Amino acid sequence: MMTIATLYIIATPIGNLEDMTYRAVRILGEVDLIAAEDTRHSLKLLNHFGISKPLTSYFDHNQQLKGERILNALRQGKSVALISDAGTPCISDPGFQLVRDAVAENIPVVPVPGACAAIAALSASGLPTDIFTFAGFPPSRQGKRRTFLSCMSALHGTLVLYEAPHRLLDTLSDIREVLGERQVIVARELTKIFEECIRGTASEVIATVSQGIVRGEVVILIAPGESAQQETEPLEDVLGRLMADGTLSIKDIAKQAAVISGVSRSEAYAEALRLKNDPD
Ligand code: SAM
């Protein structure tokens, strides 16, 4: 039996219907109301799984009005499921404001995890996964896109972006221009029939992509740059700074130092312990 007045954030497949989870099907069949980004699109999915429930739309341009109605339903004790067209709601999809408002009213918010294109692409990329930044869609105008990319240039870890296929080549060119010849992967049509991963340096991927029209949905993954590693603050300095603060546990210090210095957590933890026991 499910909790009443709960907002469920439910992931749906990004292409392959077999990626729907048992739990998603069960909860969608139990809630009082389903809020969907595009009700006609979601109806096909719901019909496929034999789910028939009241549906309401919740998309970018009606978020304020619909958000208030959904909150009202929750206040009245109704359970609501939020789904988007594909993947995990709130990830480059509507939902964040609704979740924020529900949390502010102490309404339980329960994630029902499943497909997410960024995580699927990262998991099969072969690029470092210990630290990564997901930055959604880059701006569509070149000037803003280049500024956006230059803000990402010193980050540690893999950079994960979403992009529309018709902007892919322009964005790849800007990646090469701003971030240099890094390893790049274009993960296309994940979980679908024409799934492919195009791998290589930025120039190699540009050459492959230039050979034809890229159709379908794409995720771009960019390997960490050398400059990010060179500019890294030495581990000992970072640990010294964080320990001087005096408010953090050794575990938290190690966690933060690992991100700042680009080392593993275990290395940062061992060094933090050494410094604690032997500050000189
Ligand atoms: N909320 C979704 C998620 O969890 O991945 C993302 C929604 S966003 C509006 C759509 C973008 O996600 C697409 O433009 C593409 O960049 C990426 N995407 C979605 N499905 C994909 C797939 N099957 N293969 C590759 N990229 C995909």
Side-chain angles (χ1 to χ4, degrees):
M1 194 55 204
M2 72 191 320
T3 329
I4 53 161
T6 296
L7 174 61
Y8 293 91
I9 308 301
I10 302 189
T12 57
I14 54 170
N16 192 325
L17 289 180
E18 288 181 28
D19 292 333
M20 188 75 168
T21 69
Y22 290 111
R23 188 166 170 237
V25 173
R26 176 179 63 77
I27 293 177
L28 284 167
E30 287 177 357
V31 290
D32 298 304
L33 178 67
I34 298 173
E37 190 181 0
D38 176 343
T39 49
R40 283 209 313 203
H41 177 95
S42 291
L43 203 52
K44 289 184 204 149
L45 176 87
L46 297 172
N47 284 341
H48 178 86
F49 289 101
I51 298 163
S52 171
K53 284 284 164 179
L55 260 180
T56 189
S57 66
Y58 181 79
F59 51 86
D60 272 345
H61 300 293
N62 75 358
Q63 283 192 37
Q64 213 163 351
L65 176 74
K66 280 303 180 79
E68 194 44 44
R69 287 195 195 158
I70 293 166
L71 285 171
N72 262 334
L74 288 158
R75 287 177 197 126
Q76 287 163 18
K78 293 187 172 143
S79 55
V80 180
L82 177 69
I83 54 177
S84 60
D85 287 355
T88 304
C90 307
I91 307 301
S92 294
D93 266 342
F96 151 70
Q97 292 173 20
L98 179 62
V99 172
R100 179 196 58 194
D101 294 348
V103 168
E105 293 194 28
N106 290 322
I107 294 167
V109 180
V110 172
V112 181
C116 173
I119 298 299
L122 182 67
S123 69
S125 69
L127 296 179
T129 52
D130 52 346
I131 302 174
F132 66 90
T133 300
F134 169 67
F137 288 92
S140 53
R141 305 228 338 236
Q142 188 180 61
K144 286 192 175 168
R145 186 164 59 224
R146 289 189 171 194
T147 308
F148 165 91
L149 289 169
S150 69
C151 292
M152 308 279 158
S153 63
L155 285 175
H156 298 294
T158 298
L159 179 58
V160 186
L161 303 173
Y162 285 163
E163 190 50 290
H166 64 277
R167 277 199 273 271
L168 179 62
L169 252 185
D170 287 346
T171 297
L172 289 172
S173 303
D174 288 342
I175 286 168
R176 179 173 58 185
E177 186 70 27
V178 177
L179 303 178
E181 266 313 349
R182 299 193 191 181
Q183 285 295 310
V184 170
I185 291 160
V186 171
R188 194 176 81 82
E189 292 286 85
L190 293 170
T191 78
K192 304 184 197 176
I193 295 171
F194 296 109
E195 174 178 294
E196 66 172 333
C197 276
I198 306 167
R199 301 167 198 271
T201 60
S203 290
E204 287 164 351
V205 172
I206 288 171
T208 308
V209 167
S210 306
Q211 283 166 15
I213 299 164
V214 173
R215 293 204 172 81
E217 301 189 278
V218 293
V219 180
I220 306 175
L221 302 110
I222 306 157
E226 278 170 23
S227 61
Q229 274 143 36
Q230 279 160 12
E231 284 163 17
T232 299
E233 192 180 353
L235 177 60
E236 199 169 322
D237 294 0
V238 178
L239 287 169
R241 195 157 45 78
L242 293 171
M243 288 169 106
D245 180 61
T247 57
L248 295 170
S249 68
I250 289 287
K251 202 171 152 201
D252 286 337
I253 288 172
K255 207 160 130 187
Q256 287 193 24
V259 174
I260 298 169
S261 305
V263 300
S264 70
R265 275 190 206 177
S266 53
E267 186 185 338
Y269 188 76
E271 185 63 10
L273 276 184
R274 192 189 65 73
L275 282 176
K276 189 179 167 214
N277 296 329
D278 179 13
D280 301 325

